[in-house]
């Protein structure tokens, strides 16, 4: 069974640009969550999607947005990139609340 | 803010020995789930063990077991027969039953297993 796939693995962007990250969940998993991981702030929840609907959102500015497609694949978009957006972005999927989330390997975003 | 606290930034253990990682959490709900995740240098987060708060029995997965003390809001992870491959950052996490998809993580404990 394929795991959670995130693309790309690495990205370097310039301040002010926008970026789109992609996540393909495990087959059959309809819930997809996104996290930002930094050395200073640790792991922080961005948002969760289920059946194309955002059900939960963390405390991030509106520059961070996401969406989910009918096949459960999800994308995350960050507009007007800032240096502080440099982080490891992790996607995770689950078949239901409480089962635990399976994480992808992440996308390392560097903003210069 | 409801938090998860891991009071041990770093731990070390000799191969084949037992080590316990501590975690306390804060919640006002009765319906929640607790997890331990492992993140090796490869950065892949791996689910180690999970516990449903309404179950009194402590969860066990092979060499990994938890000591869940609900009244004390404590959720420690015991690793028996430690192996070199257990070297990683370990995160304790809580998910409220009403908060879809949101894991609240602790700060992590770096565990090093020495040969």
């Amino acid at each position: 069974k394929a795991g959670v796939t995130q693309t790309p693995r690495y990205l370097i962007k310039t301040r002010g640009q926008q970026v789109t990250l992609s996540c393909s969940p495990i087959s059959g998993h309809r819930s997809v969550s996104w996290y930002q991981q930094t050395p200073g702030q640790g792991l922080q929840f961005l948002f969760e999607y289920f059946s194309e609907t955002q059900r939960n959102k963390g405390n991030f500015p509106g520059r961070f947005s996401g969406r989910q497609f009918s096949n459960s694949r999800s994308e995350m978009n960050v507009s007007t990139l800032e240096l502080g957006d440099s982080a490891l972005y992790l996607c995770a999927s689950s078949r239901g609340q409480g089962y635990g989330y399976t994480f992808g390997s992440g996308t390392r975003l560097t903003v210069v | 803010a409801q938090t998860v606290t891991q009071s041990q930034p770093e731990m070390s253990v000799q191969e084949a020995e037992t080590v316990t990682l501590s975690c306390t959490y804060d919640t006002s709900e009765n319906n929640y789930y607790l997890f331990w995740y492992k993140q090796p240098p490869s950065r892949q987060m791996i689910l180690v063990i999970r516990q449903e708060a309404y179950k009194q029995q402590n969860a066990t997965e092979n060499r990994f077991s938890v000591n869940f003390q609900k009244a004390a809001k404590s959720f420690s992870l015991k690793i028996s027969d430690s192996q070199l491959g257990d070297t990683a950052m370990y995160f304790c996490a809580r998910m409220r039953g009403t908060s879809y998809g949101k894991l609240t993580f602790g700060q992590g404990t770096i565990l090093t297993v020495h040969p």
Side-chain angles (χ1 to χ4, degrees):
Chain A
K1 197 174 188 181
V4 177
T5 304
Q6 290 189 247
T7 56
R9 292 287 312 266
Y10 301 91
L11 264 179
I12 299 176
K13 290 286 187 180
T14 303
R15 202 168 33 171
Q17 287 186 313
Q18 75 165 23
V19 67
T20 300
L21 313 182
S22 180
C23 172
S24 293
I26 290 174
S27 178
H29 286 193
R30 295 164 65 188
S31 174
V32 175
S33 292
W34 289 88
Y35 292 84
Q36 181 195 66
Q37 186 176 22
T38 59
Q41 299 297 317
L43 284 145
Q44 293 188 289
F45 172 76
L46 282 154
F47 28 65
E48 187 261 3
Y49 286 87
F50 182 89
S51 292
E52 303 179 66
T53 300
Q54 186 183 89
R55 295 194 301 183
N56 204 355
K57 188 177 187 305
N59 189 25
F60 278 82
R63 301 185 297 107
F64 291 81
S65 63
R67 60 177 175 169
Q68 186 181 36
F69 301 94
S70 58
N71 61 358
S72 294
R73 190 177 71 85
S74 179
E75 289 182 347
M76 189 191 101
N77 184 275
V78 187
S79 62
T80 319
L81 283 166
E82 301 177 359
L83 296 178
D85 297 334
S86 293
L88 178 66
Y89 289 88
L90 293 166
C91 166
S93 74
S94 176
R95 59 186 171 117
Q97 196 80 345
Y99 284 96
Y101 275 73
T102 301
F103 282 78
S105 296
T107 294
R108 173 76 66 188
L109 172 65
T110 302
V111 182
V112 298
Chain B
Q2 298 194 340
T3 59
V4 177
T5 303
Q6 294 177 246
S7 58
Q8 306 149 315
E10 292 188 46
M11 295 276 286
S12 64
V13 64
Q14 293 296 125
E15 199 174 6
E17 292 187 346
T18 296
V19 64
T20 299
L21 307 184
S22 301
C23 173
T24 58
Y25 59 93
D26 182 21
T27 184
S28 55
E29 298 186 7
N30 283 320
N31 180 23
Y32 58 93
Y33 307 89
L34 298 167
F35 307 90
W36 279 96
Y37 278 89
K38 163 186 174 181
Q39 188 177 39
S42 67
R43 83 190 192 197
Q44 175 93 45
M45 292 278 281
I46 300 165
L47 177 62
V48 174
I49 199 165
R50 70 182 186 96
Q51 175 82 42
E52 293 147 328
Y54 61 86
K55 288 188 177 178
Q56 293 187 343
Q57 186 173 5
N58 290 325
T60 300
E61 288 287 342
N62 300 312
R63 298 182 295 108
F64 300 88
S65 62
V66 298
N67 183 3
F68 174 44
Q69 300 290 324
K70 189 171 183 178
K73 296 180 181 172
S74 170
F75 184 61
S76 61
L77 174 70
K78 185 172 85 170
I79 306 174
S80 304
D81 186 25
S82 296
Q83 300 176 359
L84 296 178
D86 295 334
T87 293
M89 175 81 90
Y90 285 80
F91 291 97
C92 176
R94 181 208 68 222
M95 177 179 284
R96 289 157 48 198
T98 55
S99 187
Y100 296 116
K102 181 179 178 180
L103 287 159
T104 299
F105 287 90
Q107 309 94 309
T109 297
I110 299 172
L111 175 67
T112 303
V113 180
H114 297 285

